[in-house]
Amino acid sequence: MPRRPSPKRPSPRQSPRLSGLTRLVPVLHGSLTGLRNLGIGLALIGSVSLLPESLVQTWPGHAQRAIAITRDIRTLLLDVVRDTTAGVGSWLSDLDGVDIEGLGRVVAEHMPGWLPRDLWPFELPGASNTDQTGIALNFSAVRTALYDTVYSGHRVTFYCGCRYDRDRRTDLDGCGLGALDGSIRAQRVEAEHVFPASQFGNFRRCWREPAAFAKCRSDGGNTLSGRACCERVDPTFVTAHNDLHNLVPAVGAINAARSNFNWGELRSGQRLGDCAIRFDPILRRVQPPDAVRGEIARTMFYMRDTYGFRLSRQDEKLYAVWNNADPPDAWEIERNRRIRQLQGKGNRYVENYRRL
């Protein structure tokens, strides 16, 4: 009796399981951006909601309310997951053999690359939020250090001497800026670059030609601004941009009026309220109050020496005059000490002060 041929086993290509996964690939590919954005949002909410209460209690009231909201959202999501687990059991069975833990590591490693740098304040295992100089690579963290550590116990804005509270709301009436009370930007404190970021950014290709960098495009394909591009691709720019020696708290309206103008001495100019700072938009110059001219001069020299930024001969002469006329006071020395503790480097023009 002739032997019947044994039935052929389906080839891998004919496997219903593989066939289903193959059909799923285009769907996953088309939904990648949406899933990624959803995952980022959920990851951020989950991470923030797990911050310890002892830390959150030291934050301003509005920040504590925001944390409470994230915890409510986390609780709601967990309830939804528990209610729907039974219905997705059969779908989860198709994930046999998938390294879920490994997938989680991949997501964690790539999450910072999907976000602007200042939206990812969390340090990953094996990674660092500071570069070799000790300067934080995250501008959000830098601002927090400026307000809460460097200026702790000295909540006074740099140019106009306005006091501000823990929520960074300024007392405009107490510093002669009461006329700006209706301005939202005047009511808040901002981190101001003494040496304007645009001035040293203009020497970087990422600032001038962001379209030349593949990493300087948004998910929608739009070219990022020069500043945003440099923050992604230029470590030197990031280090200079985030250097606490170059950052001071300023009334938002003063920061806006100063823009990226150079420092100088003016015979006339615009003023905001009674603050002794003058602006000349035509000459693009700003004259600071006498009380901070020496500090500005020493900061400009520090940035020149540390990062190789160029100063004109005229500006160097002016800053030398300001340095000589306004030696470091007790607060400037203390401020430098606090920054040295954070970054590991002080400003030698403060620590070893001399007339120039």
Side-chain angles (χ1 to χ4, degrees):
M1 184 173 180
R3 297 178 59 186
R4 293 181 181 179
S6 59
K8 293 183 178 180
R9 294 183 179 180
S11 66
R13 289 188 179 182
Q14 296 171 324
S15 167
R17 180 185 179 88
L18 281 178
S19 178
L21 290 175
T22 302
R23 290 194 300 270
L24 186 60
V25 168
V27 177
L28 291 176
H29 178 75
S31 304
L32 181 59
T33 300
L35 290 174
R36 186 192 69 185
N37 292 340
L38 177 61
I40 289 172
L42 295 178
L44 285 174
I45 290 172
S47 300
V48 172
S49 70
L50 294 172
L51 290 174
E53 187 64 31
S54 58
L55 173 64
V56 175
Q57 287 177 349
T58 65
W59 291 7
H62 65 273
Q64 294 186 36
R65 290 192 295 272
I67 296 299
I69 292 173
T70 65
R71 288 169 178 164
D72 290 341
I73 294 174
R74 183 190 67 191
T75 301
L76 177 62
L77 289 174
L78 290 175
D79 289 342
V80 171
V81 170
R82 280 193 295 266
D83 292 342
T84 57
T85 299
V88 297
S90 60
W91 178 79
L92 290 175
S93 66
D94 286 339
L95 294 179
D96 289 344
V98 175
D99 184 1
I100 300 297
E101 184 179 349
L103 180 61
R105 286 196 299 268
V106 171
V107 172
E109 290 169 1
H110 287 79
M111 186 76 75
W114 292 344
L115 285 170
R117 188 182 299 274
D118 62 355
L119 291 180
W120 185 258
F122 310 108
E123 186 167 349
L124 296 172
S128 175
N129 276 353
T130 61
D131 66 0
Q132 67 275 13
T133 67
I135 294 175
L137 300 179
N138 177 313
F139 193 58
S140 179
V142 170
R143 286 196 301 262
T144 300
L146 179 73
Y147 301 135
D148 297 346
T149 303
V150 178
Y151 280 81
S152 175
H154 189 87
R155 295 196 185 103
V156 180
T157 63
F158 182 66
Y159 302 118
C160 303
C162 301
R163 297 194 175 277
Y164 57 93
D165 60 21
R166 291 181 61 180
D167 294 331
R168 296 162 201 163
R169 294 175 301 206
T170 54
D171 177 16
L172 297 174
D173 290 329
C175 57
L177 294 178
L180 302 179
D181 196 45
S183 166
I184 295 178
R185 193 163 183 184
Q187 293 171 348
R188 71 175 186 237
V189 172
E190 297 177 357
E192 154 88 333
H193 289 89
V194 177
F195 196 125
S198 63
Q199 289 190 18
F200 57 78
N202 277 326
F203 292 101
R204 319 298 295 183
R205 188 185 178 205
C206 53
W207 188 285
R208 299 191 311 269
E209 304 175 39
F213 296 83
K215 292 183 178 180
C216 293
R217 294 188 179 278
S218 66
D219 290 340
N222 297 322
T223 301
L224 300 177
S225 67
R227 182 192 296 263
C229 179
C230 288
E231 287 179 328
R232 285 194 178 188
V233 303
D234 191 332
T236 299
F237 174 88
V238 171
T239 304
H241 182 269
N242 294 358
D243 195 320
L244 283 165
H245 285 294
N246 191 42
L247 290 167
V248 294
V251 174
I254 299 294
N255 187 18
R258 189 265 167 117
S259 184
N260 59 353
F261 299 166
N262 289 325
W263 300 112
E265 294 186 350
L266 302 172
R267 295 183 179 179
S268 63
Q270 303 173 359
R271 292 179 60 176
L272 296 179
D274 295 330
C275 183
I277 185 171
R278 294 182 181 272
F279 310 91
D280 191 324
I282 297 177
L283 295 177
R284 297 181 64 82
R285 287 273 173 177
V286 179
Q287 176 178 284
D290 292 345
V292 298
R293 292 185 183 182
E295 192 166 344
I296 288 173
R298 288 181 281 276
T299 299
M300 299 297 281
F301 284 136
Y302 165 86
M303 295 295 286
R304 177 199 63 183
D305 294 356
T306 302
Y307 302 104
F309 298 152
R310 288 181 285 180
L311 298 176
S312 69
R313 189 169 299 178
Q314 177 182 354
D315 283 343
E316 288 184 343
K317 290 181 179 179
L318 175 65
Y319 298 147
V321 172
W322 288 0
N323 171 77
N324 298 343
D326 178 29
D329 58 15
W331 166 245
E332 184 179 353
I333 294 171
E334 172 62 15
R335 174 181 179 272
N336 179 78
R337 185 191 68 80
R338 294 181 182 187
I339 294 175
R340 171 182 274 282
Q341 283 188 328
L342 290 170
Q343 296 185 175
K345 180 178 181 180
N347 183 343
R348 68 184 182 92
Y349 292 95
V350 178
E351 296 175 341
N352 305 307
Y353 172 75
R354 62 183 179 86
R355 293 175 60 85
L356 300 175

